[in-house]
Every structure is written in structure tokens, then in C-alpha cells.
Amino acid sequence: MAWGKSNVQSDIDRALRRSLRAAVAGDWDTAETWLERIVEADSKDLDAYHALARLYRQQGSIGRAIRMHQNLLLRADVPRAARDEALLELACDFDAGGFRDRAISAYEEVLAGQPRNVHALGRLAVLLHEAHDTPRVLAVLKKLRRRDKVFADALEVKVHLAHAQASAATGDNDGARASLKRCLKRDGDCGEGWAMLGELEAERGKTAKALDAWKKAAACDRKLAGSIYPKIDASFAAKGKPDAFVGYLRNVLKEEPTRHVARVTLARALSSKGASREGIEELARALEISPEATEIHAELGRQLLASGQESESLKAYATLVQVLSKNTALPADLATPLIATPTPLVATPMVATVAMVAMVAPSATIEEGSA
């Protein structure tokens, strides 16, 4: 596009509209081209200048974005507000490019002039956390909390938890416990914090405190429950109450019947005590509540098979396959009927079904979802 001598501004306005249309259409190359022409025609158009630099950053041309913002900061004709914006954008450039130390310095410079800038405070806190600079990140979070309490609290929990892990790794268990207490004071539902506290208490022989912490961890974070239940079981046993674990699980399920990991764990615990029939009944009741819980179907099939109820186990596994087929496509090799396999062993219905289930529902430790 050739710029007219008498109507440069109208040409710039037209180019700006074209760049906007291209951006809306997701045609970033075209948008970039028009913005470059605008900046070449009028370097004082700071809106276009910033838009082009941001586009460079978005497209991964971090070096070009950095140079543009640095050049803008060197200009004497740029007003204070525009310089502040350019400095913040430069910090974002360093941040996006992975230049952590330079980004930290730039965000700190931004905050020296704009102490209430929420974006700068938030990103500075995150970068200091990544740099494991606990004292400085806590100081920044104290300022950020006045403006974004939710984000500041969530990040502070991560900071204390990370500091506890680092302390424990160096053998400073007292420091780790102190950090965990601060973590849990900020968020009493931090499952990772309670789980780690349980480990530390167990290491120093405080079985009761460890048990209490692990119970809270399992209650707060379902994803951790599968790995924590064995520790709770062992803690009850260490206290001379091996049968208390079953009662604990029953109470968990009374409060939250859809805790499938707890249900499977209970069924296995009952089976290990010779009460497999009771465990099977627990699983059957669970399926009345959550008929599409695949982990319950899989465990029911295993328990029935282990108890010698082959026909009932076959029914359980067949139901499992039906549930799985509703939600996921079966592997290509399962699309071919297993009865056609030349090996006589695989041709039996029971073995075929078990083979199928073994592929789609392995018996490894299950993770509990949010249901």
C-alpha cells in the first residue's frame, strides 16, 4: 500500500482497520504487516507501536518485542504514562522469553513506580517462587494480598509447601514442620501439606499425630487417598487396632458414598480378613449409587473371580466392558471377536472377557476422581 502525501492520516486509519480485521480473523501475519506499515509511517503512534510489539511477543518473536520496547524507553518524546506501559511490556517480554532474572528486575522496576500494579505483583511473586527466594516472595505476596487475596493465598500455600519439601530434603525436619504449619494455617484443606506432615510425624514416632494428619489428607484430596489409605491402615495396626481401619472406611463412605477408592479399599480389607462376601456386597451397593464407576465394576469382577464365582465374575466384567464402550472407543485389536483367535485357551468366554478387562482396566492402584 502506497501512502499518499496529502492524506497520510487517512491511510494510517485505513491500515489500522485492516490490521484489526486481520486480527479478528486470526490472520496474524497480515495484521503484523499492516501494523509495521503504520509504525513506519508514524513512529509516534504509540497504540500501533505497542500493538505490534505485543503481536511479536505473541508470535514468539521475543527479541523483536524486546528491542521495540527498549527503543521506546530510550526515546525522549515519550510521556511518562507511555514509558510506564513500555516498561511493563518489556518485563512481560523477558517473562515470556524465559529470562527470569531480567524479568524479575524489570517487574521490580515497574513496581518502584507503580506499587499497586496487580499484574507485576503477581508475576513477580510467581518468578520469585520459581527462583526459590522464599523471603522475597512472601514480602511480595503480603502486598498482593490487599488486591488479589485468592491468588496470593493460593501461591503462599505453594511457597510454604515447597519450602517444607526443600527443608526435609536437607534433613531439617523441624524447619519443614514449621513451614507446613504455616501452609496449613493459610489453607487447612491442603491435602499435600497434611500428607507430608503425616510422614514427618511418623518419622519421629508420633503415630497418633501421623494418623490424624493422614486422615485429614485423605479427606481433603481424593487423588491422594489411594496412596494414603495403606498408611492409615498401618497406623491403626501400629496402635494395636487392626480392625479400626474397616470402621474408619465405613465412616468415610457414610459421609461420602461416592468415594470409590475408599469403597474398593474397604472391599479389599474385608476380603483380606476372610469376609469376601461382605466385601462383594459393599461393591454391589456402590454400583447402585454409581452404576458407571469402572473401578468398582473391575474390583467386583476380581473379587467374584477370587471367590470362585466364575459366572458372576463374567457378568461383572461384561458390564464393565459395556460401561467402557459407552465412554471410550475400544482398541482396534479388541474390535475383532476374541473367539476367532486360533489359541483354544483365549477362545473361552471367561478368558476372553478377562483378557479384555486386563487391557482396559488394569489392577494397578486406582486414582479417585472428583465424582
Side-chain angles (χ1 to χ4, degrees):
M1 174 180 177
W3 303 103
K5 295 182 179 179
S6 60
N7 59 345
V8 173
Q9 188 58 51
S10 63
D11 287 340
I12 290 176
D13 291 342
R14 188 180 307 111
L16 187 60
R17 289 194 298 272
R18 289 178 178 178
S19 68
L20 179 60
R21 285 199 299 269
V24 170
D27 185 355
W28 303 114
D29 290 339
T30 300
E32 180 181 310
T33 298
W34 286 113
L35 286 171
E36 286 174 339
R37 293 186 180 184
I38 294 170
V39 171
E40 289 172 1
D42 183 8
S43 62
K44 293 183 180 180
D45 190 331
L46 297 183
D47 288 335
Y49 199 98
H50 280 304
L52 178 58
R54 288 182 182 181
L55 185 55
Y56 283 155
R57 185 172 69 226
Q58 178 182 312
Q59 296 296 89
S61 299
I62 304 299
R64 298 174 77 180
I66 289 174
R67 286 192 294 273
M68 286 193 71
H69 289 128
Q70 287 177 329
N71 290 338
L72 196 59
L73 289 169
L74 291 172
R75 285 168 49 174
D77 62 334
V78 176
R80 174 63 183 273
R83 289 181 63 82
D84 289 343
E85 182 180 0
L87 183 58
L88 177 60
E89 291 295 332
L90 179 60
C92 294
D93 294 338
F94 290 138
D95 196 353
F99 306 109
R100 186 172 63 198
D101 292 342
R102 297 179 73 181
I104 287 174
S105 297
Y107 281 127
E108 288 178 329
E109 190 175 348
V110 170
L111 291 168
Q114 307 172 61
R116 298 181 180 181
N117 189 297
V118 175
H119 177 78
L121 285 167
R123 287 305 304 163
L124 178 59
V126 170
L127 293 172
L128 289 171
H129 172 48
E130 293 175 355
H132 308 293
D133 194 337
T134 302
R136 289 170 70 192
V137 68
L138 291 176
V140 173
L141 288 174
K142 185 176 180 180
K143 299 175 183 178
L144 180 61
R145 184 168 289 108
R146 304 188 190 113
R147 291 157 186 87
D148 191 344
K149 187 177 186 303
V150 174
F151 179 82
D153 285 351
L155 183 55
E156 184 176 341
V157 168
K158 293 181 180 179
V159 170
H160 288 310
L161 185 59
H163 192 258
Q165 292 167 340
S167 296
T170 60
D172 182 11
N173 287 356
D174 290 338
R177 274 193 295 275
S179 292
L180 287 173
K181 287 179 180 179
R182 286 190 285 270
C183 166
L184 295 169
K185 181 179 180 181
R186 184 62 64 188
D187 180 9
D189 291 329
C190 179
E192 287 185 84
W194 285 117
M196 185 176 179
L197 183 60
E199 297 288 347
L200 294 175
E201 296 296 356
E203 284 184 16
R204 63 174 185 162
K206 302 292 184 179
T207 304
K209 289 186 176 181
L211 176 59
D212 184 59
W214 280 327
K215 283 182 179 179
K216 290 176 179 176
C220 293
D221 193 335
R222 289 189 171 200
K223 292 182 179 179
L224 295 175
S227 61
I228 290 176
Y229 285 148
K231 298 174 183 178
I232 295 175
D233 186 13
S235 297
F236 278 124
K239 292 182 66 178
K241 301 178 180 179
D243 295 332
F245 183 55
V246 169
Y248 158 75
L249 290 172
R250 290 192 187 282
N251 287 333
V252 169
L253 291 166
K254 183 178 180 181
E255 294 293 325
E256 297 183 71
T258 59
R259 281 207 171 233
H260 304 322
V261 171
R263 188 77 64 177
V264 170
T265 304
L266 174 58
R268 292 175 181 175
L270 290 170
S271 179
S272 68
K273 296 179 183 298
S276 58
R277 180 177 178 181
E278 193 175 348
I280 290 171
E281 290 173 353
E282 283 286 344
L283 295 171
R285 280 195 293 271
L287 289 175
E288 293 177 1
I289 300 170
S290 304
E292 295 198 358
T294 55
E295 59 267 54
I296 303 294
H297 283 289
E299 184 63 24
L300 178 59
R302 294 187 192 103
Q303 296 240 358
L304 287 168
L305 189 61
S307 66
Q309 302 180 58
E310 184 172 308
S311 60
E312 293 300 315
S313 176
L314 176 58
K315 292 177 183 178
Y317 280 134
T319 303
L320 170 60
V321 173
Q322 290 175 0
V323 172
L324 287 169
S325 66
K326 291 180 182 178
N327 304 316
T328 58
L330 290 176
D333 55 340
L334 292 183
T336 303
L338 290 175
I339 194 69
T341 305
T343 305
L345 177 61
V346 179
T348 65
M350 170 56 73
V351 176
T353 305
V354 172
M356 182 180 292
V357 172
M359 296 182 68
V360 297
S363 59
T365 301
I366 57 175
E367 284 189 1
E368 187 149 27
S370 59

